[in-house]
Amino acid sequence: MPQTDPLADARWRKSSFSGGGGETGGDCVETAALPDGRIAVRNSKHPEAGTVFFTRTEIAAWLKGVKAGEFDDLA
């Protein structure tokens, strides 16, 4: 059975807060929703470095924590 690349048709997007320069140089992560329900995450400056995959449940839990301020100390 032929294997297909799940990222071949991925529509990557990144936050409008990532900027284009300044202190962070526009570094950010990109995300893409995949047809199988997973969420792909990669470094927008080095997409060839690899991709991490999460379930929608995992992303929902992380976003809930972000919105609650649980990761504010990392900024």
Side-chain angles (χ1 to χ4, degrees):
M1 179 183 300
Q3 294 283 335
T4 58
D5 180 0
L7 302 175
D9 295 322
R11 296 181 60 158
W12 293 98
R13 64 184 185 185
K14 62 181 174 178
S15 170
S16 61
F17 293 96
S18 67
E23 194 175 298
T24 64
D27 295 338
C28 198
V29 296
E30 293 178 302
T31 62
L34 303 178
D36 66 4
R38 293 180 298 164
I39 305 297
V41 180
R42 70 182 184 184
N43 181 330
S44 65
K45 288 280 194 168
H46 302 284
E48 72 286 349
T51 303
V52 180
F53 300 93
F54 297 95
T55 65
R56 289 191 180 268
T57 301
E58 291 167 334
I59 289 292
W62 183 76
L63 288 172
K64 188 174 180 180
V66 169
K67 291 175 183 179
E70 294 177 8
F71 303 102
D72 288 355
D73 64 309
L74 300 176

